Amino acid sequence: AALGAAAVRAAPRSPVEPASPTALSMAYVPDGLSKEEWAKIQKKEAEQRKKKDFGAGGTRGFKSRSMQSFMLAYERGEASHLFPVDPAKVKKGEIALKDVAYMQRGG
């Protein structure tokens, strides 16, 4: 028995043969849709995705402003200090919601 186990362990392993390209040609298709209908939906969604710019606000899309650039813009009159917004003025319409800093807007 010991000799048989040693022989099995010493036997070289056969290399795994790659699967043939025609062995499996299945694709996901949701229940209730034909293959053509699903392809049409996927094509429409892909076209809609091309129109969007997902990376615009990503980690590399945000550019922080340095204190020096803010001070230069402030001196030229192009920037002003952002003070807390009075919620009553927003409710009255004196200040547009788009002009309220995102940290002060409601959830």
Side-chain angles (χ1 to χ4, degrees), residues 5 10-12 15 21 31-32 35 41 57 67 69 71 86-87:
D31 288 342
K35 191 173 182 179
I41 291 171
M67 186 63 174
S69 71
M71 292 306 295
D86 182 10

Side-chain angles (χ1 to χ4, degrees), residues 22-90:
T22 59
L24 193 67
S25 61
M26 297 172 57
Y28 171 77
V29 178
D31 288 342
L33 293 177
S34 69
K35 191 173 182 179
E36 293 78 24
E37 290 172 327
W38 179 236
K40 184 179 176 183
I41 291 171
Q42 286 182 312
K43 183 178 178 182
K44 181 181 174 185
E45 289 176 351
E47 288 174 6
Q48 289 175 343
R49 254 185 264 120
K50 287 180 184 177
K51 295 176 187 176
K52 295 181 182 179
D53 188 10
F54 289 110
T59 50
R60 294 186 187 109
F62 177 76
K63 291 189 171 71
S64 182
R65 184 176 205 173
S66 69
M67 186 63 174
Q68 182 180 6
S69 71
F70 169 75
M71 292 306 295
L72 290 172
Y74 181 75
E75 290 169 359
R76 289 190 302 259
E78 298 170 359
S80 64
H81 290 288
L82 296 174
F83 293 106
V85 176
D86 182 10
K89 289 185 176 182
V90 176

Side-chain angles (χ1 to χ4, degrees), residues 3-15:
L3 182 61
V8 170
R9 277 184 277 170
R13 294 184 181 181
S14 62

